[in-house]
Amino acid sequence: MGNRIRKGAVFLGPNTTGNGRKARNGFPSLQQNINFAGNRPVMHIDSHPAILYFGTPVVLISTVNTDGSYNLAPISSVFWLGWRCMIGLGSASHTAQNLLHTRECVLNLPSVQEAAAVDRLALTTGANPVPANKQQRGYRHVKDKFALADFTPATSGTVAAPRAAECPVQLEAGVVAWHRLGQDDPAQYGRIITFELKIRKVHLDTDILMDGYTDRVDPDKWRPLIMSFQHFYGLGDKVHPSTLAQIPERLYR
């Protein structure tokens, strides 16, 4: 790949053109910052976005509050490795505190059909009083978030937290480890916690299963809800054949 990329011009700085004059909108003129990948012009700039949410599945985490009631919270900082899952939460969040207390939860994955219901949970928290940082963003306390979003709590098999019955995927899980981020930055340390979860039990809607299987999800039927830079999206069509898909899924067990 490296020998296919050639530079079209030298980048002179974030606020100057080729003549040293300040560029419109604070960016250099296009002629000063174009590279070529093959014959295709490509422009990159140094950037510092406030968030780096490039697109991940939405997950509704259900947990048990200290008084025995239920909490339901949407997140999108999540990924899976086998039957392990990593999630990231603000350390002051009600869900994080519940996880530290009970060590278990359910990860409910909504489809695009549940987008409106998920959105009803936005700017709500089970914490009372509402933490100061969330007050500044417009959050309000809601005691029964299942009722607010019109999700039905369903009994789980291995954890006390309920499943959200309307979600096509429900993963019962236990906390096996957690880590406070930012040890190299005193100003950030401890503000975010990552949790390693071990999946204990998987519940799948039969509508998303591959024909003839009880343990394989059909990616053409499963339409997860995706969050990208705070907006909801769905998956598009398959864009290219996958060499990796030639590996039988059973070899990952």
Side-chain angles (χ1 to χ4, degrees):
M1 286 293 293
N3 58 5
R4 296 181 56 229
I5 300 176
R6 66 181 189 275
K7 293 185 177 180
V10 177
F11 180 79
L12 297 180
N15 294 305
T16 59
T17 66
N19 296 321
R21 294 191 299 270
K22 183 162 287 191
R24 191 181 308 171
N25 298 326
F27 292 109
S29 61
L30 295 181
Q31 292 83 358
Q32 302 304 319
N33 196 30
I34 295 179
N35 294 324
F36 287 86
N39 293 320
R40 182 171 62 91
V42 180
M43 177 178 178
H44 292 86
I45 64 168
D46 290 340
S47 181
H48 295 84
I51 57 177
L52 297 175
Y53 295 163
F54 289 98
T56 46
V58 173
V59 175
L60 301 178
I61 303 183
S62 49
T63 55
V64 178
N65 299 319
T66 54
D67 63 1
S69 61
Y70 304 136
N71 190 52
L72 188 66
I75 70 163
S76 60
S77 297
V78 57
F79 68 89
W80 286 264
L81 292 168
W83 275 48
R84 303 279 172 152
C85 178
M86 295 296 298
I87 63 172
L89 296 167
S91 59
S93 71
H94 198 62
T95 297
Q97 295 305 309
N98 282 350
L99 284 173
L100 290 171
H101 178 70
T102 67
R103 305 289 201 273
E104 60 183 32
C105 66
V106 179
L107 305 173
N108 304 279
L109 278 65
S111 73
V112 292
Q113 301 300 321
E114 287 77 51
V118 172
D119 194 49
R120 287 194 285 272
L121 294 170
L123 300 181
T124 66
T125 177
N128 188 20
V130 178
N133 66 324
K134 288 194 171 184
Q135 288 184 23
Q136 295 173 354
R137 299 172 186 172
Y139 279 71
R140 61 192 173 93
H141 168 69
V142 173
K143 180 66 174 178
D144 190 348
K145 292 201 275 184
F146 272 90
L148 175 69
D150 202 23
F151 282 113
T152 305
T155 302
S156 298
T158 66
V159 299
R163 297 174 287 132
E166 289 75 12
C167 290
V169 179
Q170 306 146 5
L171 311 174
E172 301 178 21
V175 176
V176 295
W178 64 91
H179 173 73
R180 298 183 185 273
L181 295 190
Q183 292 184 359
D184 62 331
D185 186 349
Q188 294 290 328
Y189 180 59
R191 293 175 59 181
I192 296 175
I193 303 180
T194 59
F195 290 89
E196 179 188 345
L197 306 175
K198 183 178 181 179
I199 307 303
R200 297 176 179 174
K201 193 176 185 66
V202 176
H203 305 264
L204 298 175
D205 188 322
T206 55
D207 286 345
I208 67 171
L209 291 176
M210 191 171 289
D211 293 343
Y213 292 87
T214 60
D215 59 355
R216 293 189 64 185
V217 174
D218 189 331
D220 289 323
K221 297 178 181 178
W222 168 227
R223 300 287 90 185
L225 183 61
I226 303 295
M227 176 155 282
S228 179
F229 290 95
Q230 302 188 97
H231 293 273
F232 292 120
Y233 293 90
L235 294 181
D237 295 330
K238 189 183 299 183
V239 297
H240 191 275
S242 170
T243 301
L244 193 64
Q246 298 174 15
I247 301 175
E249 291 184 11
R250 67 179 184 275
L251 297 183
Y252 289 102
R253 292 189 182 277

